[in-house]
């Protein structure tokens, strides 16, 4: 029986990005912050009491609105190159500077693709470790009002390679998912293999995933791997052939 009230969502269904310091107005470079397991978005206010001195009860009114974000997760480091995650590295930089050099931009996209852009300053960074591993967290304060992005519907989805691919037994091939328009708000998708005994899908990361060859396909046989968008249910199908290992 299908669920009546939908499935729970988590931070894995959100996209948190920071604008690269190398960006320009004409060519913005948004970097996804990886490794996050918690995001907390807060909105509060400064108030003043507008009641008279003789009033028994106060009459507070809002003078300023304030926003803040806390991000918690695990350090992400490439085990081969030793390089730290680019998004986490940008946060680390802003946590060490002051003045106008500390002005950053954050893009927060919820599980349905609704996005807000915040001007922020990174006020602190914390690291801790215990027997379960290392944790890192950043606290950010919003500067001014958030900017809401217009919601852009997905019109189509394709893969690169586009219609067919070949992978060896025991080998992998990386496939890129391409949304149209490229600025579609909700770029989340599901991907599945029609025959996991011959082709598995692994390492789904942003707009790419890996095909893993499990067993050789017979002559003229292919395994369909289907990508389906969460927004507008657009579908791309990739016919995969598995060859004998070299």
């Amino acid at each position: 029986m299908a669920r009546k009230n939908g499935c729970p969502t988590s931070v894995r269904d959100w996209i948190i990005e920071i604008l690269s310091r190398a960006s320009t107005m004409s060519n913005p470079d948004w970097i996804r912050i990886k490794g996050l397991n918690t995001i907390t978005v807060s909105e509060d206010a400064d108030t003043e009491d507008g009641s008279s001195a003789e009033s028994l009860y106060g009459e507070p009114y809002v003078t300023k609105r304030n926003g803040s974000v806390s991000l918690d997760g695990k350090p992400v480091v490439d085990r081969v190159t030793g390089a730290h995650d680019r998004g986490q590295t940008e946060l680390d930089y802003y946590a060490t500077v002051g003045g106008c050099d500390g002005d950053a931009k954050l893009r927060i996209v919820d599980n349905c693709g609704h996005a807000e852009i915040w001007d922020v300053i990174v006020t602190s960074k914390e690291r801790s470790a215990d027997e379960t591993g290392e944790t890192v967290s950043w606290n950010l304060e919003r500067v001014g009002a958030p900017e809401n992005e217009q919601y852009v519907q997905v019109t189509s989805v394709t893969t690169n390679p586009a219609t067919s691919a070949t992978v060896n037994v025991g080998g992998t091939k990386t496939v890129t998912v391409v949304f149209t328009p490229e600025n579609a708000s909700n770029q989340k998708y599901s991907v599945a293999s029609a025959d996991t005994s011959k082709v598995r899908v692994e390492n789904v990361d942003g707009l790419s995933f890996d095909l893993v060859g499990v067993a050789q396909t017979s002559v003229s046989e292919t395994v369909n791997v289907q990508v389906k968008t969460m927004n507008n249910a657009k579908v791309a199908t990739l016919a995969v052939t598995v060859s004998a290992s070299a």
Side-chain angles (χ1 to χ4, degrees):
M1 180 182 294
R3 287 182 172 87
K4 302 298 184 184
N5 297 305
C7 294
T9 61
S10 72
V11 73
R12 291 177 299 177
D13 301 306
W14 289 50
I15 297 173
I16 317 299
E17 297 173 315
I18 189 168
L19 189 65
S20 167
R21 285 168 285 152
S23 290
T24 63
M25 292 287 290
S26 60
N27 187 28
D29 178 21
W30 290 101
I31 305 170
R32 186 164 185 169
I33 304 168
K34 298 181 179 179
L36 299 179
N37 53 39
T38 304
I39 174 174
T40 304
V41 180
S42 303
E43 192 87 19
D44 60 20
D46 297 331
T47 62
E48 289 187 7
D49 185 4
S51 64
S52 66
E54 295 78 17
S55 298
L56 178 61
Y57 293 98
E59 296 179 4
Y61 65 92
V62 174
T63 58
K64 295 287 184 181
R65 290 289 180 186
N66 306 299
S68 62
V69 179
S70 63
L71 303 173
D72 300 274
K74 298 292 185 182
V76 176
V77 179
D78 189 303
R79 293 186 178 182
V80 176
T81 66
H84 289 269
D85 173 64
R86 289 182 63 211
Q88 292 192 7
T89 299
E90 289 291 306
L91 283 172
D92 288 346
Y93 167 80
Y94 285 111
T96 63
V97 296
C100 293
D101 289 338
D103 295 343
K105 279 187 181 291
L106 203 68
R107 187 170 181 264
I108 304 173
V109 187
D110 69 15
N111 61 307
C112 293
H114 300 102
E116 287 187 349
I117 296 177
W118 287 28
D119 291 318
V120 297
I121 56 172
V122 183
T123 56
S124 66
K125 174 190 175 181
E126 299 177 7
R127 295 178 64 186
S128 62
D130 58 22
E131 64 275 7
T132 64
E134 185 178 356
T135 300
V136 62
S137 62
W138 300 266
N139 294 310
L140 304 90
E141 297 289 338
R142 191 180 70 211
V143 179
E147 175 187 347
N148 292 306
E149 284 193 343
Q150 181 181 0
Y151 195 89
V152 180
Q153 297 279 3
V154 174
T155 58
S156 66
V157 66
T158 56
T159 58
N160 183 15
T163 57
S164 62
T166 299
V167 60
N168 291 332
V169 173
T172 62
K173 185 175 185 64
T174 300
V175 177
T176 303
V177 180
V178 182
F179 282 81
T180 302
E182 64 180 13
N183 65 333
S185 295
N186 190 343
Q187 298 198 14
K188 299 180 179 66
Y189 61 93
S190 61
V191 56
S193 167
D195 187 351
T196 56
S197 69
K198 297 195 174 169
V199 178
R200 288 202 315 269
V201 174
E202 294 184 354
N203 303 323
V204 180
D205 184 10
L207 296 180
S208 68
F209 60 87
D210 288 341
L211 301 174
V212 179
V214 179
Q216 185 176 359
T217 52
S218 59
V219 177
S220 301
E221 179 191 10
T222 59
V223 175
N224 284 340
V225 172
Q226 185 183 82
V227 173
K228 184 176 181 180
T229 67
M230 289 186 170
N231 176 228
N232 265 358
K234 302 300 182 181
V235 173
T237 301
L238 186 65
V240 182
T241 300
V242 183
S243 300
S245 56

